[in-house]
Amino acid sequence: MPPARRFLPSTTALRALEALDRLGSATAAAEELNLSQSAVSRQLQTLESQLGVEMIIREGRRIWLTPEARDYAAEVRGALQKISQASMKLAVNPAGGSLDLAILPTFGMRWLVPRLADFARRHPEVTINLSTRLKPFNFATEAFDAAIHFGQADWPGTQAMRLKSESVVAVCAPELRRDYSPGEPKDLLRLPLLHIETRPEAWPAWFAAHGIEGVQVTGTIYDQFSTITQAALHGLGVALLPDYLAEQDLATGRLVRAWGGATQTPGAYHLVWPVEKSRDPALAKFRDWLATQTEDEDPLPR
């Protein structure tokens, strides 16, 4: 049954509501929407009347949203983004479809992107749009068809395909190792340890792999491998870097191994997608192609 017309406000009114919430003033909303301030006010009044809910607080010339209206505006924002994304997909590639994919910055650029030329040759009818995201998000409010995810295949409401495990090596600046001279793995506990936000179990797993269980590992936290690498290069501590990322700096001597060789981290890289997208034709083609690229013994590109 289609929704009642009362609960389908005009996109103009919804855009006015979303802009007021995001920009904080009717003047700024009017400028962005290329409307007069009075026109924005009328749209909001129409929306209140249609829904039968007071949404606007008025004080002189100033207006702002009630707390309930702000929550509503956040949901409207996601819906408008989805409509815009769907319209762009249809306009850009009406025949073959497109895939909006969220990728992890480093893995996406170093592993996925170098392989995409092969997919493009095999499926020129499919357009792939890439955006970076560092953490899991809500597919219901973000306009993505799938995402590259590191961890376990436990993203709620999704299905997953495992892509690749990850091996890491403990590295630091040469002067840091020289100053501390670790003689065994547990000596690294005396050094400042650098953590990557998306892998909270990496250091405990590294120590466990070297026979050291149940230790409390402290240190500073970074959100991307690019920043944690720079921190290690400047002597701020010991970092656990994927072996393919550390390779060049180790070869040039800018980084050295703090201790030992590569160890496997908990979790793996996965392609995840919402259950309701499972039969999407563009996603199916991409997923089938990606399944041919997932061998663990296949080295990451240098």
Side-chain angles (χ1 to χ4, degrees):
M1 181 180 296
R5 290 186 61 185
R6 173 190 169 190
F7 297 113
L8 285 177
S10 73
T11 55
T12 303
L14 294 177
R15 289 179 65 210
L17 177 80
E18 188 279 331
L20 176 61
D21 176 56
R22 176 167 43 84
L23 299 174
S25 78
T27 301
E31 289 177 357
E32 180 175 279
L33 299 174
N34 198 27
L35 297 171
S36 66
Q37 189 168 340
S38 60
V40 168
S41 181
R42 285 196 299 272
Q43 289 294 333
L44 295 172
Q45 288 173 350
T46 299
L47 186 60
E48 285 183 305
S49 176
Q50 183 174 354
L51 298 180
V53 177
E54 184 176 322
M55 306 173 71
I56 309 300
I57 300 172
R58 296 170 174 83
E59 187 176 281
R61 288 190 158 187
R62 289 188 61 230
I63 61 173
W64 62 91
L65 300 182
T66 66
E68 295 77 12
R70 290 183 64 85
D71 292 340
Y72 177 57
E75 294 196 41
V76 165
R77 182 175 300 113
L80 291 174
Q81 288 173 345
K82 283 196 168 187
I83 293 170
S84 175
Q85 197 76 19
S87 301
M88 185 175 70
K89 278 186 183 181
L90 182 63
V92 170
N93 195 353
S98 64
L99 182 70
D100 294 310
L101 182 66
I103 61 172
L104 297 168
T106 303
F107 186 76
M109 293 300 102
R110 293 293 296 270
W111 190 86
L112 178 62
V113 170
R115 290 167 163 79
L116 284 181
D118 179 68
F119 179 80
R121 284 192 297 269
R122 295 172 184 270
H123 298 286
E125 75 282 5
V126 177
T127 299
I128 296 184
N129 306 306
L130 303 177
S131 296
T132 58
R133 291 292 187 278
L134 292 172
K135 299 178 182 178
F137 52 84
N138 189 345
F139 277 104
T141 57
E142 295 241 25
F144 288 109
D145 302 304
I148 301 291
H149 165 60
F150 182 85
Q152 305 299 322
D154 56 1
W155 194 321
T158 69
Q159 296 174 330
M161 180 175 72
R162 185 182 182 280
L163 300 179
K164 197 170 185 66
S165 59
E166 180 179 78
S167 293
V168 295
V169 59
V171 299
C172 62
E175 58 271 20
L176 185 65
R177 190 179 69 177
R178 185 170 57 247
D179 292 342
Y180 283 88
S181 301
E184 54 183 327
K186 69 177 182 180
D187 289 342
L188 265 62
L189 290 167
R190 298 188 290 108
L191 278 64
L193 301 181
L194 312 179
H195 300 253
I196 194 77
E197 188 177 6
T198 54
R199 289 148 176 77
E201 298 303 318
W203 271 115
W206 186 89
F207 282 108
H210 290 83
I212 305 167
E213 301 277 358
V215 294
Q216 183 174 3
V217 185
T218 60
T220 54
I221 301 173
Y222 297 81
D223 67 345
Q224 295 193 46
F225 280 120
S226 58
T227 51
I228 201 173
T229 300
Q230 288 300 310
L233 286 168
H234 287 87
L236 296 182
V238 183
L240 284 176
L241 296 183
D243 50 5
Y244 69 94
L245 286 182
E247 184 181 60
Q248 185 175 359
D249 288 321
L250 288 171
T252 60
R254 299 178 69 203
L255 291 174
V256 295
R257 293 177 185 268
W259 182 268
T263 62
Q264 189 165 308
T265 57
Y269 293 96
H270 297 84
L271 176 73
V272 298
W273 59 92
V275 173
E276 60 270 21
K277 289 278 187 178
S278 296
R279 296 187 179 181
D280 180 87
L283 174 59
K285 291 175 183 178
F286 181 72
R287 188 172 60 231
D288 291 345
W289 167 82
L290 199 57
T292 69
Q293 309 289 313
T294 60
E295 298 85 355
D296 271 331
E297 63 271 15
D298 182 24
L300 290 167
R302 268 52 179 179

